[in-house]
Amino acid sequence: MNNMYPFVNGPLPYEYGALEPFIDEKTMHLHHDRHLQTYIDNLNSMIEKNPGLKNMSLEMMLCRFPRLPRDLQIPVRNNAGGVYNHRFFFSGMSPSGGGSPECPLLDAINRKFGSYEKFKERFKASALSVFGSGYAWLVLDRWGLKIITTPNQDTPLIKGQIPVLNIDVWEHAYYLKHYNLRAAYIDDWFNVIDWEKAGNRFSDAVRYHVH
Ligand code: MN
């Protein structure tokens, strides 16, 4: 996946219908080909108008967001955030997903939340608590694992937190199949979480914090 200007919308790592019956093919088409594409187009045109951003990676733009010129902060937060968050979300799911995490992520979840089942309850409650549009995340910061939510296209990177897992709870992520029932969508999403990917992200984040 290219991480610098000009950004392109790479293909999903699975077929559009591969997450059926949990996430429907039409939603995946619209979500990836239209919603994410729009963020990519807007990000590219913002960078064209502000060439100082040309040599910055997506992560760098978001990590350095508070130090960017004031008039760039909101467009970067929305557009770079929209690309980062969607790529993270799509690549965090798999048709062979579901089940539960493995060690060492499972250990860390058990220590922090008591059990995987308790983690699931807390994560679902957080995802339900997002008012309007946004995301729920499992992140790692210097104090350990944490469940957080972000509004709109804000990302945890802005606050120095390293993401392990996220769910998009914008209505466009589920409305065609689940209508207004966000809870049903969250329950279905648990069946397609790529825990191997999340485990790798967690191990990378731990190494980042140790060094
Ligand atoms: Mn979305």
Side-chain angles (χ1 to χ4, degrees), residues 155-206:
T155 88
L157 293 179
I158 292 172
K159 291 181 277 185
Q161 297 165 322
I162 305 181
V164 174
L165 183 70
N166 75 345
I167 181 173
D168 183 342
V169 293
W170 286 58
E171 279 188 343
H172 66 231
Y174 61 89
Y175 203 82
L176 291 182
K177 177 179 169 67
H178 301 91
Y179 305 111
N180 58 325
L181 302 176
R182 189 189 286 180
Y185 159 64
I186 298 165
D187 287 340
D188 273 349
W189 169 79
F190 274 105
N191 292 299
V192 292
I193 298 173
D194 186 342
W195 280 115
E196 194 183 331
K197 175 66 71 67
N200 291 337
R201 286 166 167 168
F202 171 72
S203 298
D204 289 346
V206 168

Side-chain angles (χ1 to χ4, degrees), residues 67-183:
R67 281 168 282 160
L68 291 175
R70 219 165 228 290
D71 59 325
L72 276 183
Q73 290 188 358
I74 288 173
V76 164
R77 188 181 67 193
N78 291 342
N79 297 316
V83 174
Y84 180 86
N85 294 346
H86 278 106
R87 284 179 167 182
F88 198 91
F89 173 63
F90 290 139
S91 62
M93 297 186 287
S94 163
S96 56
S100 54
E102 293 181 5
C103 290
L105 177 54
L106 180 61
D107 259 359
I109 284 176
N110 287 340
R111 272 199 307 274
K112 187 76 186 197
F113 304 103
S115 67
Y116 174 61
E117 285 308 312
K118 285 188 183 139
F119 159 78
K120 263 180 92 169
E121 279 170 33
R122 293 258 311 263
F123 195 90
K124 181 177 177 182
S126 291
L128 284 171
S129 78
V130 175
F131 182 75
S133 298
Y135 294 78
W137 303 79
L138 178 65
V139 298
L140 186 74
D141 65 18
R142 74 183 85 165
W143 296 281
L145 285 175
K146 191 183 284 181
I147 296 169
I148 64 157
T149 65
T150 53
N152 305 311
Q153 295 297 354
D154 285 12
T155 88
L157 293 179
I158 292 172
K159 291 181 277 185
Q161 297 165 322
I162 305 181
V164 174
L165 183 70
N166 75 345
I167 181 173
D168 183 342
V169 293
W170 286 58
E171 279 188 343
H172 66 231
Y174 61 89
Y175 203 82
L176 291 182
K177 177 179 169 67
H178 301 91
Y179 305 111
N180 58 325
L181 302 176
R182 189 189 286 180

